[in-house]
Amino acid sequence: MKYVLVSGGVVSGLGKGVTASSVGVVLKACGLRVTSIKIDPYLNTDAGTMSPFEHGEVFVLDDGGEVDLDLGNYERFLDVTLTRDNNITTGKIYQSVLEKERRGDYLGKTVQVVPHITNAIKNWIESVAVIPVDGQEGPADVCVIELGGTVGDIESMPFIEALRQLSFSVGQDNFCLIHVSLIPVLGVVGEQKTKPTQHSVRELRALGLTPHLLACRSAQPLLANTKEKLSQFCHVPIANILNIHDVPNIWHIPLLLRNQNAHHSILNQLNLLSIATPPDLHDWTEMAEKFDNITKSVRIAMVGKYVGLTDSYLSFVKALLHACIACSLKPSIDWIAASDLEDDSAQLTPEAHAAAWETLRNAKCVLVPGGFGDRGVSGMILAAKYARENNVPYLGICLGMQISVIEFARSVLGLERANSTEFDAETPDPVVIFMPEGSRTHMGSTMRLGSRRTLLQTPDCITSKLYCNTEYVDERHRHRYEVNPEVIGVLEEAGLKFVGRDETGKRMEILELPSHPFYVGVQFHPEFKSRPGRPSALFLGLILAATRQLEAYINTHQNGS
């Protein structure tokens, strides 16, 4: 197995994930099979219990793993299906070591960071690296490992030591280290500063790892004298100093690497030049350039709880992007804090309330994403009501589906206190209830998680037509509450149709309002499986409906082509 390690220095948030993904894209374009691992040095066992405000969205895998959002980048860029073990955390490593210690596997020895923790990290990496993730048999050729955090972080130390040992044990020809660093420009001087990168590389070398390539993040392309200085003081050949400067969209990053012959430097270090082919990035180039040349846009109202940090909804943003590009449009996302739509907001923050409603009314479609807790729920219900009553295309995902059921029960059935037991445990009309196998005491990994099958009930529904008349769909889930099966009959009599159910027929997965141009709610999360060039059917349907192209599209694709 060949390993490419991507580390980061100076500051966090430099784009190590996109860099690692792009390296994978270029190596894949050279005819190699690529897998990836993300190391997160935090003590949490997984990302499942972390606030979206603090860490961005929780990405869900087919096997139910709740992982870091960078694994979403890997899946989208590399078109692979990863497992929960492709995300390593300090919590997972320590948990596995402590379980062994409790079983007596260490035969009474003193358990220490070195060698026990570092050995556990190495063993984990080597065992996960050989798991195929691209649908083919046998291990991949290259494993791209992203080390989260910044060099010098105290929590990263065991991982750096383990990776140093790994580089030594696998040999020089099987290990390539790419260090991502910042080249700032100070406003007064206007000069590209290399000193932060020099210090970062010096610290990395002191820990026993020497970078083979530098990936320098900067606003503008690096100057020749900046590269010379970096080469001289960081002991990296000028040919191996890559510049990842700001680009119009992130799909340009693999092209940027290719244009700087990054693949040649990596393949040379890994002794793969003889078996690799020149990188074929024709489709990737076409996709990046198509996006740059699109001039028309569509306004999408995103009504959510965590709109203060767009990374909280990263997969939604990407799914909208994929769908819009398929329609030759750019997404113009209007972020609306659900709480700003509420009646209380009209008294407390009248300007924000007025602006939120004006934004909602100007949008061509409404998307209500998932979330937990009761904050902003009233605003989401108002958004769903507005979309339903005004024939504005609506897509509700997870909580967004439950919101549409609550709103319909209140407005159409006249059940004024209809609610989810998540928000009102004493509601006389619980239209959304706690699912039976969930845990009320533990938060992590206790939900309905991962890929589950939904059976489509009728070929006449919009969802079935968008999925090209398949009998079922397999999508990823992440929820604790669901529509109460006891109220389905009365809801359907009033006009709300549940066109997708699980294999037992008791769990409602997809709802539609046939009297509406496009009013769809789904209990699953279709955004997680959206890919560039292969958008999610439901996100595509939302954009088509927003631009009045849905009927023509369905008529064209009725035969499943």
Side-chain angles (χ1 to χ4, degrees), residues 299-305 307 313-321 333-336 338 341 360 363-370 379-380 383-384 387 392-401 403 518 520-522 524-527 538-539 542-543:
R299 296 191 71 171
I300 305 153
M302 177 88 88
V303 183
K305 298 184 178 193
V307 295
Y313 297 116
L314 186 63
S315 290
F316 289 98
V317 172
K318 298 302 180 187
L320 288 169
L321 175 65
I333 301 174
D334 293 323
W335 299 92
I336 301 175
L341 295 171
L360 183 63
K364 295 295 182 185
C365 59
V366 177
L367 174 63
V368 177
M380 294 180 186
V392 177
Y394 174 91
L395 178 59
I397 292 173
C398 196
L399 175 61
M401 173 193 179
I403 290 293
F518 187 89
V520 179
V522 291
F524 48 76
H525 289 264
E527 71 275 13
L538 292 169
F539 280 83
L542 179 69
I543 302 305

Side-chain angles (χ1 to χ4, degrees), residues 1-3 31-35 129 138-143 270 272 275:
M1 177 62 64
K2 309 278 186 178
Y3 297 95
L32 301 172
R33 291 175 60 205
V34 180
T35 184
D141 300 307
V142 180
C143 177
L270 296 176
L272 286 171
I275 65 165

Side-chain angles (χ1 to χ4, degrees), residues 426-468:
E426 305 302 320
T427 174
D429 297 299
V431 292
V432 178
I433 59 169
F434 188 81
M435 47 183 288
E437 75 267 37
S439 168
R440 291 185 183 273
T441 56
H442 285 69
M443 300 293 283
S445 297
T446 57
M447 293 182 274
R448 186 169 166 83
L449 286 164
S451 183
R452 307 289 179 113
R453 180 153 293 183
T454 295
L455 303 180
L456 296 166
Q457 306 297 302
T458 167
D460 292 334
C461 65
I462 286 175
T463 305
S464 179
K465 290 169 183 174
L466 286 169
Y467 278 104
C468 294

Side-chain angles (χ1 to χ4, degrees), residues 527-543:
E527 71 275 13
F528 290 138
K529 291 175 82 168
S530 182
R531 300 283 182 268
R534 206 169 67 247
S536 161
L538 292 169
F539 280 83
L540 182 61
L542 179 69
I543 302 305

Side-chain angles (χ1 to χ4, degrees), residues 115-156:
H116 300 101
I117 295 294
T118 51
N119 283 348
I121 294 167
K122 284 191 296 178
N123 293 339
W124 193 304
I125 289 170
E126 290 178 314
S127 60
V128 171
V130 298
I131 298 171
V133 294
D134 56 2
Q136 299 181 45
E137 291 185 6
D141 300 307
V142 180
C143 177
V144 179
I145 304 169
E146 180 196 344
L147 176 61
T150 308
V151 170
D153 293 348
I154 193 166
E155 57 262 39
S156 300

Side-chain angles (χ1 to χ4, degrees), residues 93-310:
I93 294 295
Y94 275 77
Q95 191 174 53
S96 69
V97 169
L98 290 172
E99 282 172 359
K100 283 185 176 181
E101 186 271 334
R102 292 290 84 187
R103 287 199 307 263
D105 291 4
Y106 297 118
L107 303 175
K109 289 183 179 176
T110 303
V111 180
Q112 296 174 292
V113 172
V114 180
H116 300 101
I117 295 294
T118 51
N119 283 348
I121 294 167
K122 284 191 296 178
N123 293 339
W124 193 304
I125 289 170
E126 290 178 314
S127 60
V128 171
V130 298
I131 298 171
V133 294
D134 56 2
Q136 299 181 45
E137 291 185 6
D141 300 307
V142 180
C143 177
V144 179
I145 304 169
E146 180 196 344
L147 176 61
T150 308
V151 170
D153 293 348
I154 193 166
E155 57 262 39
S156 300
M157 292 305 177
F159 291 101
I160 289 180
E161 171 58 22
L163 290 161
R164 183 197 66 76
Q165 293 178 22
L166 181 70
S167 69
F168 180 73
S169 62
V170 299
Q172 205 169 353
D173 287 350
N174 297 313
F175 194 87
C176 177
L177 172 53
I178 303 172
H179 189 57
V180 183
S181 187
L182 178 69
I183 305 294
V185 172
L186 298 185
V188 182
V189 186
E191 179 188 359
Q192 292 179 336
K193 292 293 186 181
T194 64
K195 195 67 76 176
T197 299
Q198 290 179 43
H199 286 307
S200 181
V201 170
R202 187 180 304 151
E203 185 150 13
L204 196 56
R205 289 167 68 90
L207 295 168
L209 285 169
T210 301
H212 301 105
L213 292 91
L214 284 181
C216 301
R217 287 285 289 111
S218 61
Q220 301 297 327
L222 286 188
L223 301 172
N225 68 325
T226 306
K227 280 193 172 188
E228 287 168 12
K229 196 184 283 188
L230 285 167
S231 176
Q232 183 178 357
F233 292 110
C234 298
H235 301 272
V236 175
I238 283 185
N240 289 6
I241 295 175
L242 312 172
N243 181 206
I244 304 178
H245 54 75
D246 292 351
V247 289
N249 68 75
I250 61 170
W251 292 339
H252 281 279
I253 304 296
L255 308 178
L256 209 56
L257 294 176
R258 188 269 317 269
N259 295 343
Q260 295 176 70
N261 280 320
H263 57 286
H264 187 276
S265 299
I266 296 167
L267 295 170
N268 186 45
Q269 174 61 34
L270 296 176
N271 198 21
L272 286 171
L273 282 172
S274 57
I275 65 165
T277 60
D280 177 12
L281 286 167
H282 175 75
D283 291 345
W284 201 270
T285 306
E286 211 171 67
M287 186 169 66
E289 290 178 351
K290 181 181 179 181
F291 178 68
D292 289 344
N293 295 325
I294 292 172
T295 53
K296 293 182 179 178
S297 64
V298 57
R299 296 191 71 171
I300 305 153
M302 177 88 88
V303 183
K305 298 184 178 193
Y306 316 115
V307 295
L309 178 68
T310 55

